[in-house]
């Protein structure tokens, strides 16, 4: 049993774009009309939160997707007039049709559309000529005005054979007709390939939805050429398909069929273990092996389908190449099996005696003579080219490849004649478990071959002698990660200001992401307030500016500062409380040189002992208490320090010497100090007749001193204090 999948199968460019947009757009998302005619894909989109909107008047959202089928001009006008944002996923080929229709309609031409009047593409196209188009489906009795000019366009997914037939009818019925066969070239190629494949295969599987226009066209083509054609919407539909090991199966798929469904159908058909015979006339025909045995009786050679032989050219004509290959019968290479795709067959290129390799195949057509063994040179040439391409591809520093099999320890894929194995440990940087391996099937991996010879790890990989190689995606990802890290670290320099997003908090600070690197802002660097944690300064998810305080690449640590970029408490206080301001605060602490007063959180000032009172204060604790509320005036800012004065707000009282009240202890202390001071200036026993004279002290306090003008004058200590009235308190 052989399984052939048509090359042009699955998502077309327009559908793929629309699905990719819908799968990546922020949800909830909205689509105007059914995005794709495939229930499997629609269910995935629905589960993701993509909502279908059939009537724009009921739409309450802000953004909507326009599907690949396109819409009329009135829809764009409605969206713009109502301020609705849209993502336009209209297929580029449909867009071109809209341009043709609009241009010719404005020139006064009557528009004709070949297609299904109920299909959204046709409805959208009609909207570009104000819904005045004639939707034509082969009506022979249609009447046209010879005085009018007509412009013809075609639905992109129509059957090309039917369209050509309709165009011929219209060209004979209309005098002036501008014909635009706008079938998508992808659709056209898909249909032609489907037609050829369905003629060669015993069973055709059409994978797609019954609601898909282009899928139904493929099914119609297959039904004409292959009796056993099945529509496969889900894997469950394969249960009705009966096969045996001697048949050829062809698989085609509509433009709205997801690639994963196609791959699953192909793999299930290849891996099917229970093969049953088809109870039809086809099953009763001779198998290819029987035909081979009947066509020759060479006992020395065991000619089998799929075997490769060295063939020598006998002759060549327009039908193909006659060859000898060592058997009793001659071989023949039909012209369609001579050259790979893209190369035109020319019999003059094959001279008698030329040698090439070819593979035994089934008789291409029942009309061909049975006395030949039929070969395909194209298959071998294609394989050789694939091998050559594979060597070039696999030798590159990076190549993309899809893995198709899961093994016990990794993934396996095939390219040309090479088997590529990707161990589970080499899929990504983190190890992939055996249970997670299927997630990486049928998805492109970025790979590079790695050496696998443990005995000789330096030995180069020789793709000319080995067909099984080991590849790794991990090495590429690690290199990119290292490069990215190098770039990130080079962008973080001590002392520079950077922007970072707060990611999470810890007891000791906040972690901030700067260019992909986790950095730490310690609590002490978050705020000038020692009792305020980082969690009270920042919000998670917000971006702030920080200064880089330290970079340690070796330990992957970066320290950031935030408070360093903010105004210091002193600077804030200077703006808020200029010199001369009166504040009310609380005594925070008392020292022998003064008292600290808390003005507000994190800002305090010092009241020096000399600024507490106009009278002499020996110990601030005798006057002030911790926790006491005081009112003071700011008299100075200096070196981040605030100096306060309480006495500046208290009026100075005038007191006479007679009213001075001192304690006995203070009086005695002052008396002794004065005596010592005067002893240096006067004779201890005699003093000249005193003459009063004022002398200013440095502290600007006025005191009386005595100076003698008469050398014979004398005075005792008692004379000095004579007349001084003292009020001595016990």
């Amino acid at each position: 049993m052989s399984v052939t999948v048509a090359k042009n199968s699955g998502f077309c460019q327009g559908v793929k774009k629309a699905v990719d947009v819908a799968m990546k757009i922020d949800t909830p998302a909205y689509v105007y009309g059914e995005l794709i005619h495939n229930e499997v894909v629609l269910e995935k989109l629905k589960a993701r939160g993509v909502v279908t909107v059939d009537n724009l008047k009921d739409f309450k959202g802000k953004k909507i997707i326009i599907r690949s089928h396109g819409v009329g001009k009135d829809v764009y006008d409605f969206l713009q007039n109502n301020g609705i944002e849209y993502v336009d996923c209209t297929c580029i080929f449909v867009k071109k049709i809209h341009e043709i229709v609009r241009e010719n309609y404005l020139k006064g031409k009557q528009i004709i559309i070949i297609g299904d009047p109920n299909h959204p593409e046709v409805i959208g196209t009609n909207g570009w000529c104000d819904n005045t188009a004639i939707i034509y489906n082969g009506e022979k009795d249609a009447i046209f005005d010879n005085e009018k000019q007509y412009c013809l366009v075609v639905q992109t997914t129509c059957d090309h054979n039917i369209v050509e037939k309709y165009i011929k009818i219209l060209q004979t019925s209309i005098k002036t007709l501008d014909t635009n066969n706008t079938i998508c070239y992808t659709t056209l190629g898909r249909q032609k390939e489907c037609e050829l494949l369905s003629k060669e295969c015993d069973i055709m599987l059409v994978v797609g939805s019954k609601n898909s226009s282009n899928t139904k066209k493929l099914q119609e083509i297959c039904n004409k050429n292959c009796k056993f054609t099945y529509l496969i919407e889900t894997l469950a539909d394969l249960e009705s398909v009966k096969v045996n090991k001697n048949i050829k199966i062809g698989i085609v798929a509509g433009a709205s069929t997801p690639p994963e469904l196609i791959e699953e159908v192909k793999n299930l058909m290849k891996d099917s273990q229970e093969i049953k015979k088809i109870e039809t006339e086809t099953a009763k025909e001779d198998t290819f092996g029987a035909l081979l045995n009947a066509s020759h009786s060479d006992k020395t050679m065991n000619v089998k389908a799929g075997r490769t032989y060295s063939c020598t050219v006998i002759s060549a004509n327009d039908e193909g190449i006659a060859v000898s290959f060592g058997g009793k019968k001659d071989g023949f290479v039909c012209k369609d099996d001579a050259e790979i795709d893209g190369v035109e067959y020319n019999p003059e290129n094959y001279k008698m005696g030329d040698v090439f390799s070819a593979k035994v195949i089934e008789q291409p057509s029942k009309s061909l003579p049975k006395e030949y063994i039929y070969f395909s040179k194209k298959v071998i040439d294609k394989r050789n080219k694939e091998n050559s391409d594979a060597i070039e591809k696999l030798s590159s520093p990076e190549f993309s490849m899809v893995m198709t099999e899961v093994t016990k320890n990794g993934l396996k894929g095939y390219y040309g004649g090479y088997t590529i194995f990707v161990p589970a440990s080499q899929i990504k940087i983190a190890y992939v478990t055996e249970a997670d391996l299927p997630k990486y099937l049928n998805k492109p991996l970025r790979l590079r071959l790695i050496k696998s010879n443990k005995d000789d790890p330096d030995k180069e990989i020789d793709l000319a002698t080995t067909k099984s190689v080991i590849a790794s995606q991990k090495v590429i990802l690690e290199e990119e990660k290292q490069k990215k890290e190098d770039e990130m670290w080079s962008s973080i320099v001590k002392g520079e200001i950077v922007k970072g997003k707060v990611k999470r908090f810890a007891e000791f600070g906040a972690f901030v992401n700067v260019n992909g690197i986790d950095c730490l802002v310690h609590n002490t660097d978050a705020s000038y307030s020692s009792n305020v944690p980082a969690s009270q300064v920042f919000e998670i998810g917000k971006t702030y500016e920080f200064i880089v305080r330290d970079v340690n690449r070796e330990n992957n640590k970066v320290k950031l500062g935030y408070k360093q970029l903010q105004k210091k408490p002193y600077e804030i206080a200077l703006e808020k409380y200029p010199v001369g301001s009166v504040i009310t605060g609380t005594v925070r602490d008392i020292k022998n040189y003064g008292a600290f007063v808390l003005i507000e959180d994190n800002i305090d000032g010092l009241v020096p002992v000399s600024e507490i009172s106009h009278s002499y204060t020996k110990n601030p604790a005798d006057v002030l208490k911790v926790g006491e509320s005081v009112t003071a005036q700011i008299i100075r800012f200096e070196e981040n320090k605030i100096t306060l004065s309480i006495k500046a707000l208290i009026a100075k009282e005038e007191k006479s010497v007679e009213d001075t009240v001192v304690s006995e202890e203070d009086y005695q202390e002052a008396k002794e100090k004065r005596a010592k001071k005067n002893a240096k200036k006067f004779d201890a026993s005699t003093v000249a007749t005193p003459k009063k004279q004022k002398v200013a002290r440095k502290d600007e306090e006025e005191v009386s001193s005595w100076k003698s003008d008469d050398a014979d004058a004398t005075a005792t200590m008692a004379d000095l204090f004579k007349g001084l009235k003292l009020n001595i308190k016990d």
Side-chain angles (χ1 to χ4, degrees), residues 78-144:
F78 179 88
L79 295 175
Q80 292 171 359
N81 292 337
N82 288 275
I84 300 173
E85 184 180 358
Y86 61 88
V87 181
D88 196 348
C89 293
T90 304
C91 169
I92 57 173
F93 298 103
V94 176
K95 279 276 191 185
K96 182 63 178 177
I97 297 174
H98 294 173
E99 293 172 3
I100 294 171
V101 168
R102 192 64 181 173
E103 179 181 355
N104 285 276
Y105 173 70
L106 294 176
K107 290 179 180 178
K109 294 182 181 180
Q110 173 64 56
I111 305 300
I112 300 175
I113 304 174
I114 295 178
D116 180 358
N118 297 316
H119 194 277
E121 180 188 322
V122 175
I123 294 172
T125 301
N126 198 9
W128 289 91
C129 60
D130 296 334
N131 299 310
T132 61
I134 298 171
I135 314 301
Y136 184 76
N137 280 305
E139 295 85 358
K140 294 183 179 179
D141 55 349
I143 299 175
F144 300 94

Side-chain angles (χ1 to χ4, degrees), residues 83 105 112-113 139 169 185 210 220 236 241 256 336 351 355 364 418 453 601 628 635:
Y105 173 70
I112 300 175
I113 304 174
E139 295 85 358
I169 294 173
Y185 75 86
K210 61 184 177 183
E220 291 170 4
V241 181
S256 56
D336 292 336
K351 308 298 182 184
V355 179
Y418 292 88
N453 193 327
D601 288 346
E628 179 183 354
I635 60 173

